[in-house]
Amino acid sequence: IFCVFSTFIPFGSWNRARRHRSDPVLGMFSWVKQEQGGRNKDGEMYQTVTEGLQTLYTKKLLPLEETYLFHDFHSPALEAADFQSKPMVLLVGQYSTGKTTFIRYLLEQDFPGMRIGPEPTTDGFIAVMYGENEGIVPGNALVVDPKKPFRKLNAFGNSFLNRFICSQMPNQVLQSISVIDTPGILSGEKQRLSRGYDFAEVLRWFGERVDRIILLFDAHKLDISDEFSEAIRAFKGQDDKIRVVLNKADQVDTQQLMRVYGALMWSLGKVINTPEVVRVYLGSFWAKPLQNTENRRLFEAESQDLFRDIQSLPRNAALRKLNDLIKRARLAKVHAYIVSYLKKEMPSLFGREKKKEELLMRLPEIYTILQREHHISPGDFPNVSKMQDMLQHYDFSKFPSLKMKLIESVDKMLATKIAVLMAMIREEESKLPPPMVSGGAFEGSQDGPFRHGYGEGISAGADIEDWIVSQDKHRYDEIFYTLMPVNGKITGVNAKKEMSTSRLPNTVLGKIWKLADCDCDGMLDEEEFALAQYLIKIKLEGYELPTELPAHLVPPSHRKNRAADTSYDHSED
């Protein structure tokens, strides 16, 4: 009987099943393991999104990249540190635009290796990261550290590594993000050649791995040099990461600032060839007094917008890595099609060199053929001229043929596995939201009377005893009594005529009516009408309306009624 039974159930599986039935604790823990991560039909277990991304890349995408020499043509292979690293912010700009000062402004303290001056000071790359002990790690030691995401920078040689350091310090801001400072970009051919390494390629390497790219401009230095243009073009394909900061904007008045902003947008339009307008933040990002205070409110609003964008990086880090993995997978597929097509077109024995030259000349035509045959978007193909230059050094006959199994594995990953990780991202955020960037400049204006919008708009009068509407109530009362109130109240028809003179849309006026009609009787008394006029005034000044009326704006007579209702003991009835 045992022999017949074992032909249907392997002994090991039967034995494990028997143990689970006899051991309730073991059976319980196997159930818990399934609940926490779940094992899919391919036997892959994802406990976190980061682990899932790393597993998908290693098992699905990396074999395709290695087969078709993707790392030699486009980007080095990703490692564990690339998936587990903190969000990074890359600062790029010409010399003396305030890149290092911007980092100092965010951290609110000096960092090792920092030098600030009007002349070109930063002559290398500085990765400002969190560390328990303050100090500097040289580039050659940095690229052998498996815990840092810089190991693949070893390919740029000693000329670059001698100008690359990691500045570590115990700072609260750096617990959530890391910042990369870059050399000031100069104009002229001499500076470009004397660097000793490919500056644009290093920037492209960082651009693929960072979460945000900030281009800094000086209000007095709007020209974009050739090297700066080349640096910006190195970020092609990373347009969603780019933000532009017009620094030192307090050094010009309002009229000049308007012209400077227009000139900057014109210059950027010639370099960044996209129909969308790049988001430009205006301000003066250092701790010194403003030279022109007439645009103070504008600078405060712009800095708060920029801070909110940076603070959102930890929350969107997993989504950004997922997005970059998808872009990398699409490029790897296209590269595989190109390489395999060149292999297929090569002759078996004679005329290889001549055929190679012909294929290189026909590369744009080959792009079109592959685009039509495999239904690929034109934007997924690499740059033609760059691809032609790199292909010059390879023997096409040694390229591998097209292996559909590898392509189908990546397609399956994009079609099914990515959707699972997307759901896991939302689930992780709901269970344990990632911490926002805090400390440094991010704490300076979060609370207290100097936070953005304090004492303005709807929050005005929150810290005074008198009802702020009463300051202009005498004017509102004059209008109120011309609307023929009955029993101290005006109807909605009469109120509508007066409120419509503000020329605000009906949707806005309807919201104001709902906020002002405190007792919800469809009529307004003189205090409610004054409140409605006050809310109209706030809206016309450009401020937003609240969803609920703040306590300090509730009319005094209605506050008393509410207090009486709450203090009345209904149990005595």
Side-chain angles (χ1 to χ4, degrees):
I1 296 172
F2 176 76
C3 293
V4 174
F5 186 72
S6 63
T7 58
F8 295 97
I9 303 177
F11 179 76
S13 302
W14 176 82
N15 195 28
R16 285 195 297 271
R18 182 178 59 81
R19 289 206 316 269
H20 284 188
R21 286 197 303 270
S22 61
D23 191 344
V25 177
L26 186 58
M28 179 187 70
F29 278 112
S30 67
W31 173 80
V32 169
K33 191 174 183 181
Q34 290 176 352
E35 287 293 319
Q36 286 179 346
R39 189 180 296 275
N40 59 23
K41 63 182 180 181
D42 295 330
E44 296 165 348
M45 178 74 76
Y46 305 147
Q47 297 292 342
T48 63
V49 175
T50 301
E51 181 185 346
L53 286 171
Q54 188 175 345
T55 303
L56 286 182
Y57 174 74
T58 305
K59 293 187 176 181
K60 306 294 182 183
L61 185 55
L62 186 59
L64 180 69
E65 294 181 351
E66 291 176 339
T67 302
Y68 294 99
L69 308 176
F70 178 85
H71 306 143
D72 296 340
F73 283 85
H74 301 286
S75 179
L78 300 179
E79 296 185 338
D82 293 311
F83 295 98
Q84 299 167 4
S85 62
K86 298 173 185 174
M88 292 189 290
V89 179
L90 179 68
L91 298 178
V92 182
Q94 301 183 114
Y95 78 94
S96 191
T97 53
K99 297 185 300 298
T100 308
T101 306
F102 183 84
I103 301 175
R104 170 70 176 79
Y105 178 74
L106 293 182
L107 304 181
E108 290 191 344
Q109 69 176 103
D110 296 342
F111 56 88
M114 182 187 78
R115 286 192 300 158
I116 297 176
E119 77 286 356
T121 52
T122 306
D123 61 347
F125 288 76
I126 303 177
V128 187
M129 309 181 76
Y130 181 83
E132 294 294 337
N133 299 316
E134 186 173 318
I136 292 177
V137 180
N140 283 285
L142 194 59
V143 296
V144 297
D145 187 354
K147 295 182 180 179
K148 296 286 193 300
F150 306 121
R151 285 166 60 92
K152 297 300 180 179
L153 285 171
N154 190 48
F156 293 102
N158 279 329
S159 297
F160 166 73
L161 296 179
N162 290 335
R163 293 176 174 84
F164 179 45
I165 63 172
C166 176
S167 176
Q168 294 183 331
M169 59 186 302
N171 185 280
Q172 190 176 355
V173 175
L174 299 177
Q175 289 180 337
S176 304
I177 60 172
S178 301
V179 188
I180 311 296
D181 194 8
T182 61
I185 297 175
L186 304 173
S187 59
E189 189 73 15
K190 178 181 177 181
Q191 285 78 11
R192 188 178 354 182
L193 296 176
S194 63
R195 290 192 189 276
Y197 59 92
D198 195 332
F199 181 66
E201 278 300 307
V202 174
L203 289 181
R204 189 175 71 86
W205 189 94
F206 276 109
E208 292 175 351
R209 288 159 177 80
V210 300
D211 296 73
R212 189 66 76 235
I213 302 169
I214 297 181
L215 305 178
L216 272 91
F217 289 86
D218 189 334
H220 292 97
K221 201 176 295 181
L222 298 179
D223 59 307
I224 301 179
S225 63
D226 294 340
E227 189 180 24
F228 199 7
S229 299
E230 187 179 352
I232 295 175
R233 292 191 184 97
F235 300 132
K236 185 178 181 180
Q238 315 295 336
D239 303 323
D240 56 323
K241 300 179 182 180
I242 296 178
R243 303 290 185 271
V244 178
V245 172
L246 179 58
N247 199 13
K248 305 180 183 180
D250 64 316
Q251 297 182 4
V252 294
D253 57 31
T254 304
Q255 185 180 18
Q256 291 174 330
L257 181 61
M258 180 184 67
R259 293 174 177 169
V260 165
Y261 181 84
L264 175 60
M265 297 301 294
W266 181 79
S267 299
L268 286 172
K270 296 173 64 178
V271 181
I272 304 177
N273 297 318
T274 57
E276 298 84 6
V277 177
V278 183
R279 177 66 163 96
V280 178
Y281 298 90
L282 309 174
S284 181
F285 296 94
W286 62 352
K288 295 188 178 182
L290 300 176
Q291 294 189 17
N292 286 294
T293 59
E294 53 191 16
N295 294 315
R296 184 187 187 96
R297 280 187 57 190
L298 172 64
F299 297 156
E300 289 176 355
E302 291 286 288
S303 64
Q304 289 298 322
D305 285 351
L306 180 59
F307 283 178
R308 277 193 292 268
D309 184 71
I310 296 176
Q311 283 183 306
S312 67
L313 294 181
R315 187 179 69 244
N316 299 326
L319 198 59
R320 193 274 305 170
K321 291 173 183 175
L322 181 66
N323 185 54
D324 286 352
L325 183 68
I326 295 172
K327 288 195 293 186
R328 188 181 181 99
R330 293 166 69 94
L331 180 59
K333 279 180 54 183
V334 171
H335 179 76
Y337 286 133
I338 296 172
V339 168
S340 59
Y341 185 89
L342 296 176
K343 161 72 174 179
K344 184 181 68 174
E345 294 293 312
M346 288 295 289
S348 56
L349 291 176
F350 304 107
R352 291 182 179 178
E353 285 299 322
K354 186 176 180 180
K355 188 64 176 178
K356 176 181 176 180
E357 294 179 4
E358 178 191 339
L359 290 173
L360 287 175
M361 293 294 295
R362 289 180 51 231
L363 194 58
E365 180 187 342
I366 293 173
Y367 278 14
T368 306
I369 295 172
L370 294 175
Q371 178 185 339
R372 185 170 53 252
E373 181 180 348
H374 299 286
H375 308 287
I376 304 172
S377 171
D380 290 345
F381 285 87
N383 183 269
V384 176
S385 58
K386 183 178 178 182
M387 196 70 178
Q388 288 172 329
D389 293 339
M390 299 193 72
L391 285 169
Q392 291 277 3
H393 309 290
Y394 290 87
D395 184 357
F396 295 176
S397 61
K398 295 182 179 180
F399 283 159
S401 302
L402 185 62
K403 299 179 181 179
M404 288 307 300
K405 188 176 180 180
L406 293 175
I407 299 290
E408 290 170 358
S409 178
V410 174
D411 285 336
K412 184 180 178 182
M413 177 192 77
L414 295 174
T416 60
K417 307 296 177 63
I418 295 298
V420 175
L421 289 181
M422 284 288 294
M424 285 185 65
I425 289 176
R426 301 307 175 200
E427 186 179 350
E428 282 189 0
E429 288 181 354
S430 61
K431 289 182 178 178
L432 185 63
M436 298 280 283
V437 181
S438 58
F442 298 98
E443 295 290 339
S445 58
Q446 296 297 318
D447 300 308
F450 292 99
R451 68 175 182 267
H452 181 62
Y454 183 87
E456 301 174 353
I458 206 69
S459 67
D463 52 356
I464 60 176
E465 295 182 3
D466 296 334
W467 189 38
I468 190 171
V469 182
S470 61
Q471 296 176 359
D472 296 319
K473 188 174 178 298
H474 62 282
R475 293 194 295 106
Y476 303 146
D477 286 347
E478 293 178 2
I479 302 173
F480 177 78
Y481 287 108
T482 63
L483 300 177
M484 297 180 294
V486 178
N487 296 327
K489 293 189 175 184
I490 58 174
T491 63
V493 175
N494 291 340
K496 179 182 178 180
K497 293 178 182 178
E498 175 59 32
M499 294 172 66
S500 297
T501 60
S502 64
R503 299 184 181 181
L504 289 173
N506 284 347
T507 53
V508 177
L509 293 176
K511 186 175 182 179
I512 291 174
W513 173 273
K514 186 177 179 180
L515 291 171
D517 188 10
C518 298
D519 51 12
C520 301
D521 62 349
M523 305 180 75
L524 298 181
D525 59 25
E526 63 177 41
E527 287 187 343
E528 290 174 329
F529 178 77
L531 174 60
Q533 294 295 101
Y534 178 78
L535 294 174
I536 289 174
K537 172 190 169 188
I538 286 178
K539 186 62 182 176
L540 291 175
E541 290 175 351
Y543 297 101
E544 294 299 321
L545 297 174
T547 54
E548 294 183 0
L549 191 67
H552 69 279
L553 288 182
V554 176
S557 61
H558 293 272
R559 293 183 203 172
K560 294 176 183 177
N561 292 339
R562 290 184 179 183
D565 289 340
T566 55
S567 62
Y568 184 76
D569 189 0
H570 294 278
S571 63
E572 293 181 359
D573 293 342

